[in-house]
Amino acid sequence: MGAKKASPDLLNSSFSFKSLKLKTKQQELLLRVSILGLVYVLAFIARLFSVLRYESMIHEFDPYFNYRTTLYLTEKGFYEFWNWFDSESWYPLGRIIGGTLYPGLMVTAALIYWTLRFLRFFVHIREVCVLTAPFFASNTTIVAYFFGKEIWDTGAGLVAAALIAICPGYISRSVAGSYDNEAVAIFALLLTFYLFVKAVKTGSLSWALGSAFGYFYMVSAWGGYVFIINLVPLYVLVLLITGRYSMRLYVAYNCMYILGMLLAMQIRFVGFQHVQSGEHMGAMGVFLLMQVFYFLDWVKYQLNDTKLFQTFLRITVTSAILVGGIALGVGTASGYISPWTGRFYSLLDPTYAKDHIPIIASVSEHQPTAWSSFMFDYHILLFLFPAGLYFCFKRLSDATIFIVMYGLTSLYFAGVMVRLILVATPAVCLISAIAVSATVKNLTSLLRTKQKVPQTGSTKGVGSSKSSSKVTLDQSQPFQKNGAIALLVGVFYLLSRYAIHCTWVTSEAYSSPSIVLAARGAHGNRIIFDDYREAYYWLRQNTPTDAKVMSWWDYGYQITAMGNRTVIVDNNTWNNTHIATVGRAMSSYEDEAYDIMRSLDVNYVLVVFGGVTGYSSDDINKFLWMVRIGGGVYPVIKEPDYLVNGEFRVDKGASPKMLNCLMYKLCYYRFGELVTEYGKPTGYDRARGVEIGNKDIKLEHLEEAYTTSNWIVRIYRVKPPTNRL
Amino acid sequence: MPARNWIFAVAVALFLSLSTFSSAQDLQIVNAERRIDLSSHIVKAFLTLKVENIGKDPAADMLLAFPPTQIKNLAMVQALAVTGKKKKKTYLPLDVKPSEQPDAPNDAGYFLVSFATPLGPGEAVTLEVLYILTHSLEPFPVEITQSESQLVYYRDSAVVLSPYRIKQQTTFFKTPSTRVESFTSVEPANRAGKEIKYGAYEDRVPYSYAPVIVHFENNSPFAVVEELVREIEISHWGSLQITENYRLTHGGARHKGVFSRVEYQSRRSISGSSSFNALLAVLPPRVNSVYYRDNIGNISTSHLRTGFKKSELEFEPRYPLFGGWKATFIIGYRVPLEDYLFEAPDGRRYLNFTFGCPLVETIVNKLTLKVVLPEGSKDPSAVLPFAVNQDLQVKYSYLDIVGRTVVVLQKDNVVPTHNVPFQVYYTFKPIYMLAEPLMLVSAFFFVFVTSLAYVHIDLNIVKK
């Protein structure tokens, strides 16, 4: 609201509702503000399930890195943070933190923290980090409202805000504790889009400027900004092709692109990619095309001769394409323009990662989306989405074209990668909101015309179109009123099912921190497995401060953040060779692995093992990825050596290499003496449901340093080499 | 080590036979009986002395001497005067304070016990002295494996070190189990079950010393809190918030080699017998909002039992503590204000709370107790039964403008016997209680007035 007040003269047009003429308008405003306020609160509290069910803690893997860096930022200040060389990760390489991360999230949290402290609210930085995601989710609902208002009407805006507030697709990434880049990035994404659409609609420089800053925030927060910088030019291109080119578009795009690009270059991790990377070239091409278009427009205006203009057009377009093509070719050939990255390829071609980059394919959230998860995350929105598209096409405008394009492209990406459901969620919610709003509006106006209520027009929001409803008004059908009532009841039933589904999904599926595992005991009581933190805290307290811990990269961030120890590899998977070395060590025989570990100065090895508790996402189940990634760099490691007839087994029938590799030994060391389940032989692996094949495991170069109470994390000490006398 | 102690003893004896203490010679100890309890890592010694004045002048006080190895580990010395016969004994606490003697032999340390009434010539009095030693059990071997039992040395003297002549004395050492590897023999000395008896020894000259070493098994939890910071925040809105930051370590023989979970969970009786997993904190009654966590989050292994006299919090660190392993954690709780905050007759308010550490049978190497007074409190003063370092700080908490006065009390080497009440007096005007609500009210008021103004003021330049 403050931004609006600051520049009232620029924004005259949007303030007409402020005039005090109509009392009903004030009532409507009050109603709208209170609904928005409730939605704002709802979006926040729905995300607090995780705090209620578990505790106020940071979730999963990446958030731990974000938390650690935020802590550093608040303790040491911005410049120290920006110049931080972290020697605790990627030993012995280290990591330049300032140059390899998107600082938007950390700076946001730190600013909130400093503001609160300034206002004498002495909160802990952890609480700020935990609640950042819900807070920004609440802000997103406000943006969704304005966006919905922009593309359709206020009713659609309100419905969009309500839908996005509890949509599981968004909640899955923004519950309290999910302190990840996406938490603020979705807000930034939607804000940028909203401001850009607004800019295109008004042709105002100020909105375009706002959009550029929104883009800057997005670039600072998440690598997903690439989606914006490709979608916006695509949208502009579509407008150009469909003959919707206007001065408004020219102003909006040029301002947004140039300023946004310059601002984005301030982020060190992004740097000059906007002019050097293949992924950003589309935007530049469209920018140049815009200029050509403008130039042609001008020439056309000057020439006043169609025939002459046609020839000129042909020459200019050909030469422009030629010059552009040559520039691109030369840039790519000389290496000035970098080719597309693997992740980008895998988005366009879902099978690419599986064949070429096992490290991307190994991450579960990079898998192609199953139908069930669409259903799970969108519920009724999945059916409302096509209906919304229908309404959009029926009333085509610059804004609706944008939302249609956003919806369709993001839905495609959501199908390619599970995690990108998140990006599609705002579009799906907005389009579905249009469907709901337009349907309900049509139905209620049907009811009203029958009753001859005098004030039909006045309660409608500002700028709402009456065209869609007027069509149906004139046709009278039998049982129209009853039919309308039945349909309305159906809509409300669907919406209430949606609300119930969202609450259930949030509380049951998306609120687990994945650090702490919960299970139901035999008597229905809740059993907590807190083994991860047990192990990390053990590392933190009882190992030398300079100890190096080797583990699979999944646990790297957690070990550095919670265990405060140096790790060999972590979740920032930038160096494939280093990860492959760890994979190789894990899949080699103990004495070979010992040489690798000695060369990496490893003091402790940490493995995650679910055989006692039946926890299935443990290192044995991830082991084939270690083999694949290790084998991708070191051909000594061959996947078939670990398989028997193409099957991965750990029981007696497993391959000899499997039964004696380091990972197997570390996981199952002395497991053969243990009875895990009543009526089963000793050494029965509950995660895989088999009796293990090698019960007599001897370790030569390593010794058990600690095993957690449920055996989930096992830590081994690497013995110093024996003296050669 | 024994050899060195012998030399030390001989030197002391030689030195002492030459020197004379004028005041010391006026008193003599008719009978001394000492019982040293070695069953936990806090060594408690009960000393019963029958003191007689053989001089001509009344004696107002007497000295207790301790060897330099003990004086630095001495956590507490208490003395009681016993009057009356067997069944109608009454105990009168006496004033004990550390004392410097200029001619102290071999850096011996002293405590001065003041009699309730000066001891006239020829009179006798019975004193009961309790002193507590910390860090006095030395693990040997220094490192043990998971399956080994913990053995410790305890070094002391077979005779009581005293500046006075002792007519007759006996010393008993009580060990936690019957497993005693060895003990120095100073005839007559014998061992029966869990008890080793030295003496009776007749007529020992002042500063007699006969070093002995007892080597025995002690698997009791050596829970040592290296540092404990307790913060007591007074809110006049009805509660006392206590936050305790612990840095706990296992002070016994260091763990060596592997930790095997299989053995730890299946052969619990012989595996890791010196380690400990459960701790008990005695909290005030009517305690509520108890939490137990550490820097990386909540720890879910704790049980609270509330009672009328006391509440007990039974909790486990994240992992069992073996020798040398460390754990840090935070315990926080809230108690109702009316149980602990009172108004003194002179109008001042005072907090009456327990000093020390709520964990049972632990040594605290460094205890810092911070009493955070409400904002606007003045003239704080602390009253304690023993000497502590005092300091004042300022702390900013929610909605504070000038900050809260913090009374910092700091004491080293704290044992459970230090859990005694202490008072902090301060003056406070109740009007200050309203400051924070008023601030919040005015902030909300401001927000509403602004939105009211925003809705009603038309900022457009061009009228439509």
Side-chain angles (χ1 to χ4, degrees), chain B residues 9-24:
Chain B
V10 170
V12 171
L14 275 175
F15 176 74
L16 293 173
S17 56
L18 299 172
S19 61
T20 49
F21 286 84
S22 57
S23 65

Side-chain angles (χ1 to χ4, degrees), chain A residues 55 120 537 542 706-707, chain B residues 261 295 298 326 328 399-400:
Chain A
E55 57 180 283
R120 300 278 177 222
Y537 216 60
N542 300 314
Y706 190 72
T707 298
Chain B
R261 177 61 73 174
N295 334 26
N298 194 35
K326 292 185 177 69
T328 59
L399 300 174
D400 282 355

Side-chain angles (χ1 to χ4, degrees), chain A residues 168-435:
Chain A
Y170 185 26
I171 281 189
S172 68
R173 293 260 158 191
S174 62
V175 292
S178 177
Y179 180 57
D180 212 345
N181 292 334
E182 290 94 323
V184 298
I186 291 303
F187 166 76
L189 178 88
L190 207 58
L191 185 71
T192 314
F193 284 158
Y194 162 63
L195 292 172
F196 184 70
V197 166
K198 187 99 186 166
V200 171
K201 206 172 174 184
T202 57
S204 145
L205 260 180
S206 62
W207 289 112
L209 190 70
S211 162
F213 275 97
Y215 178 65
F216 171 58
Y217 188 51
M218 177 69 188
V219 173
S220 77
W222 195 33
Y225 76 89
V226 178
F227 179 59
I228 298 184
I229 203 65
N230 283 300
L231 179 65
V232 167
L234 196 66
Y235 165 63
V236 172
L237 198 66
V238 167
L239 287 192
L240 290 184
I241 291 168
T242 52
R244 284 173 171 271
Y245 170 78
S246 64
M247 205 55 208
R248 291 177 284 118
L249 184 68
Y250 184 81
V251 169
Y253 183 70
N254 286 335
C255 174
M256 190 264 178
Y257 177 66
I258 295 294
L259 272 173
M261 180 171 73
L262 289 176
L263 285 169
M265 284 178 185
Q266 311 311 309
I267 306 296
R268 271 167 67 195
F269 192 28
V270 176
F272 292 114
Q273 280 186 34
H274 276 80
V275 289
Q276 286 189 342
S277 144
E279 285 138 37
H280 303 73
M281 281 303 128
M284 185 174 275
V286 169
F287 172 71
L288 295 175
L289 196 67
M290 263 322 236
Q291 312 314 318
V292 172
F293 225 84
Y294 184 78
F295 176 66
L296 286 174
D297 225 31
W298 179 74
V299 170
K300 188 181 179 185
Y301 171 73
Q302 293 288 325
L303 277 179
N304 259 337
D305 179 359
T306 353
K307 218 167 190 188
L308 211 60
F309 177 68
Q310 286 293 333
T311 20
F312 183 75
L313 181 71
R314 216 168 293 136
I315 295 164
T316 330
V317 167
T318 325
S319 55
I321 290 173
L322 214 66
V323 167
I326 288 169
L328 196 68
V330 168
T332 316
S334 64
Y336 179 78
I337 296 170
S338 64
W340 289 355
T341 59
R343 266 169 215 245
F344 200 75
Y345 266 122
S346 63
L347 272 179
L348 299 179
D349 174 13
T351 54
Y352 180 82
K354 202 175 255 175
D355 301 335
H356 296 91
I357 328 163
I359 198 138
I360 291 179
S362 76
V363 182
S364 63
E365 61 183 24
H366 290 169
Q367 306 298 323
T369 318
W371 265 111
S372 57
S373 45
F374 270 121
M375 199 55 217
F376 201 62
D377 281 355
Y378 289 147
H379 200 239
I380 61 161
L381 303 186
L382 215 53
F383 307 110
L384 292 174
F385 181 70
L389 284 183
Y390 163 75
F391 282 107
C392 287
F393 275 114
K394 229 177 133 187
R395 210 180 88 187
L396 221 50
S397 67
D398 289 357
T400 45
I401 289 177
F402 182 83
I403 195 69
V404 166
M405 287 188 58
Y406 174 26
L408 291 176
T409 48
S410 62
L411 213 58
Y412 166 72
F413 291 131
V416 174
M417 257 190 207
V418 178
R419 67 189 291 203
L420 292 181
I421 281 190
L422 177 72
V423 177
T425 302
V428 171
C429 285
L430 279 164
I431 292 173
S432 306
I434 290 170

Side-chain angles (χ1 to χ4, degrees), chain A residues 585-594 597 605-609 619-620 623 626 642 648-650 654-673 685 688 692-705 707 711 714-716, chain B residues 262:
Chain A
M586 292 295 191
S587 38
S588 304
Y589 292 124
E590 192 189 347
D591 43 356
E592 293 162 14
Y594 184 66
M597 291 189 291
V605 184
L606 182 146
V607 292
V608 171
F609 171 61
D619 278 349
I620 290 286
F623 183 62
M626 302 183 202
Y642 300 87
F648 180 66
R649 335 177 35 161
V650 294
S655 69
K657 181 110 194 199
M658 179 69 208
L659 291 177
N660 289 296
C661 71
L662 184 71
M663 179 53 79
Y664 191 93
K665 278 181 146 186
L666 296 188
C667 282
Y668 292 120
Y669 179 64
R670 298 195 74 175
F671 180 69
E673 299 166 34
D685 185 330
R688 281 150 288 271
I692 58 164
N694 184 357
K695 289 190 189 177
D696 183 36
I697 293 170
K698 297 265 186 299
L699 288 174
E700 195 185 337
H701 302 292
L702 293 112
E703 60 181 13
E704 188 178 357
T707 298
W711 291 58
R714 308 196 72 182
I715 300 169
Y716 291 85
Chain B
V262 169

